[in-house]
Amino acid sequence: MAGLTHRERFLRVMNYEPVDRVPNWEAGVWGQTVDRWHAEGLPEFHVHWDWFTGDEYFGMDPREFIPIDWGMKPAFECKILERTDRYELIQDHNGCVRKALLDGQAHGTRASMDQFIRFAVQTRDDFAALRKRYPVDGVRRHPPYWREFLLPAWLARRHVLVLGRNCAPGGFYWRAREWMGTENLSYAWYDDPELMHEMMEFYADFTLAVAEPILNEIAPDYFIFNEDLAMKTGPLLSPSTYKEFLFPHVRRVGDRLRAAGVKHVGLDCDGNCEAVIPLMLDAGIDFLWPLERAAEMDPLRLRRKFGRSLRLTGGVDKRVLAQGPEAIDAHLRELAPLVREGGFIPTVDHTVPPDVSLEHFRHYMNAQGGIAGYRLNLER
């Protein structure tokens, strides 16, 4: 097993087979964390900060994300509608108008959530117009000459290959929320179910149509829906709503991916989505990330409840990293049995916030290697 490739190691972990070690993956950090760590001595140009791909400085393992474009073409014009010394009112590429505080921004990360004012879809006519921004035929949605430049290396790969960059494909709830907003969407399931069925069917068709050229040539190792359909205490839609509107299309997309040879279909969902996990499993989703501990998404409890059919990634409480080495070591020891069982890749349960020092993060990386089977020696 010492000679396992990154790809073989991932697939064996996901299949509960013996491995030499578990993949070393992380998601990233806040922009404010970057500034803090630089002030604490991190060399300014030694880190890539694209941690989904991986980072050699911190000993992370590589993943490659096929850069498919599932976005609007054309997108809405990004523009500043109003600006003061405290905030700016902007229209983003999704046509959403947002009020954003200026204080505390760092490297594109705001210190607080924006206030959402208006969304692109207010009426059925708005959605009819929005659909036209998602053409497929003749539109550039894949890298130039990818069959000549990229496909040969993908076919011979030793690393994990993912269909789409992080958050690029989105998901059914994700896209509807971008188009309508959380509150409007929450009413629309009941007030205009016909429109919502249309939205879900449209986005399934579009997702597969854009992916089809890639799937006809190669089977990536996994695909992940991005949904964020939950808050701290539970989902933002009921299981019955999920079953009626999302379930058929999640299953349809997943069935096509598996028919093309994609091994795993996952879900990226912040918050506590536990109430809809049984439906997700029935729809063909087999792994979940990031398991936010502040939302009571305890990977040990989830494994006991759902068994091996649900693989788990994430689950390391970002809040513990700020508490220091003793707390970090105790937290990781709790996760060690799950690492040994398989079907679990521990990572911080989202991006690392600025209350985590560079010293504490280095200690975390070294200590996690101890339970995951790899040896790092990140110096202070």
Side-chain angles (χ1 to χ4, degrees):
M1 287 189 293
L4 292 177
T5 66
H6 296 294
R7 178 172 184 255
E8 291 169 339
R9 184 175 297 114
F10 164 72
L11 293 175
R12 289 177 70 90
V13 166
M14 297 293 272
N15 203 35
Y16 298 91
E17 296 174 352
V19 290
D20 52 351
R21 63 177 181 83
V22 172
N24 180 11
W25 293 352
E26 293 296 341
V29 303
W30 294 27
Q32 293 84 351
T33 311
V34 173
D35 286 345
R36 173 174 180 167
W37 289 2
H38 284 160
E40 292 174 343
L42 180 69
E44 185 174 359
F45 300 110
H46 287 203
V47 179
H48 293 291
W49 300 118
D50 175 10
W51 285 9
F52 280 96
T53 299
D55 202 292
E56 295 155 311
Y57 182 86
F58 285 111
M60 297 173 193
D61 293 333
R63 287 177 284 178
E64 184 177 2
F65 294 78
I66 298 175
I68 300 175
D69 185 350
W70 276 284
M72 296 184 194
K73 289 186 177 293
F76 285 86
E77 179 186 1
C78 294
K79 55 186 177 181
I80 298 175
L81 305 175
E82 179 186 348
R83 187 183 179 96
T84 72
D85 59 348
R86 293 190 63 251
Y87 68 86
E88 59 185 9
L89 193 68
I90 60 175
Q91 175 179 285
D92 65 21
H93 66 282
N94 287 317
C96 174
V97 176
R98 313 193 318 249
K99 186 176 183 180
L101 288 177
L102 298 172
D103 186 49
Q105 288 189 71
H107 305 278
T109 305
R110 300 191 189 277
S112 62
M113 288 285 291
D114 293 352
Q115 179 185 0
F116 297 91
I117 307 296
R118 188 172 67 253
F119 293 87
V121 174
Q122 305 285 329
T123 67
R124 281 178 158 273
D125 289 342
D126 291 338
F127 181 63
L130 189 81
R131 290 182 60 146
K132 297 176 182 178
R133 293 179 180 268
Y134 290 91
V136 176
D137 295 338
V139 176
R140 299 187 308 274
R141 295 194 174 275
H142 308 90
Y145 298 104
W146 62 270
R147 290 181 177 86
E148 288 78 11
F149 295 165
L150 301 175
L151 183 59
W154 293 343
L155 291 169
R157 69 191 182 278
R158 296 166 58 85
H159 57 270
V160 175
L161 183 68
V162 187
L163 182 64
R165 295 188 188 276
N166 180 56
C167 295
F172 299 99
Y173 186 93
W174 178 290
R175 288 300 186 212
R177 184 191 60 237
E178 285 185 336
W179 298 335
M180 304 179 74
T182 303
E183 183 176 353
N184 295 333
L185 175 58
S186 298
Y187 282 108
W189 303 118
Y190 304 95
D191 293 344
D192 200 343
E194 183 178 343
L195 173 62
M196 299 315 300
H197 281 299
E198 181 184 346
M199 277 190 183
M200 300 298 105
E201 183 175 13
F202 162 73
Y203 201 69
D205 292 343
F206 173 76
T207 299
L208 288 174
V210 173
E212 202 64 34
I214 302 292
L215 296 176
N216 287 336
E217 300 285 351
I218 192 169
D221 298 305
Y222 76 80
F223 171 86
I224 191 163
F225 290 103
N226 311 104
E227 288 290 18
D228 287 0
L229 52 73
M231 53 188 167
K232 184 176 180 179
T233 56
L236 290 159
L237 74 173
S238 69
S240 61
T241 299
Y242 184 96
K243 185 174 183 178
E244 177 180 351
F245 293 96
L246 277 70
F247 180 92
H249 306 293
V250 173
R251 184 165 60 182
R252 179 159 63 97
V253 172
D255 286 349
R256 173 64 189 105
L257 293 170
R258 286 196 166 85
V262 177
K263 297 293 186 184
H264 297 284
V265 178
L267 179 76
D268 164 13
C269 186
D270 299 348
N272 188 322
C273 62
E274 186 172 345
V276 294
I277 287 177
L279 288 167
M280 294 173 181
L281 290 169
D282 288 346
I285 289 172
D286 68 356
F287 76 94
L288 184 62
W289 181 86
L291 310 177
E292 286 194 292
R293 303 303 293 270
E296 304 299 330
M297 294 294 283
D298 177 357
L300 293 160
R301 183 179 59 77
L302 293 173
R303 174 59 51 79
R304 289 193 297 269
K305 182 173 182 178
F306 296 106
R308 290 188 167 196
S309 58
L310 180 63
R311 286 81 170 171
L312 303 164
T313 59
V316 176
D317 194 333
K318 66 179 78 67
R319 299 169 300 175
V320 173
L321 269 59
Q323 297 172 19
E326 186 175 340
I328 292 169
D329 292 348
H331 184 52
L332 293 176
R333 282 195 297 270
E334 294 174 358
L335 298 174
L338 202 56
V339 173
R340 290 192 293 268
E341 180 184 4
F344 175 56
I345 300 174
T347 77
V348 178
D349 60 353
H350 212 286
T351 50
V352 181
D355 60 347
V356 177
S357 69
L358 176 60
E359 180 181 358
H360 288 176
F361 183 77
R362 283 173 170 160
H363 179 88
Y364 156 69
M365 292 294 286
N366 289 329
Q368 178 170 265
I371 68 163
Y374 53 83
R375 186 176 184 83
L376 296 178
N377 187 22
L378 300 178
E379 298 179 357
R380 294 184 178 183

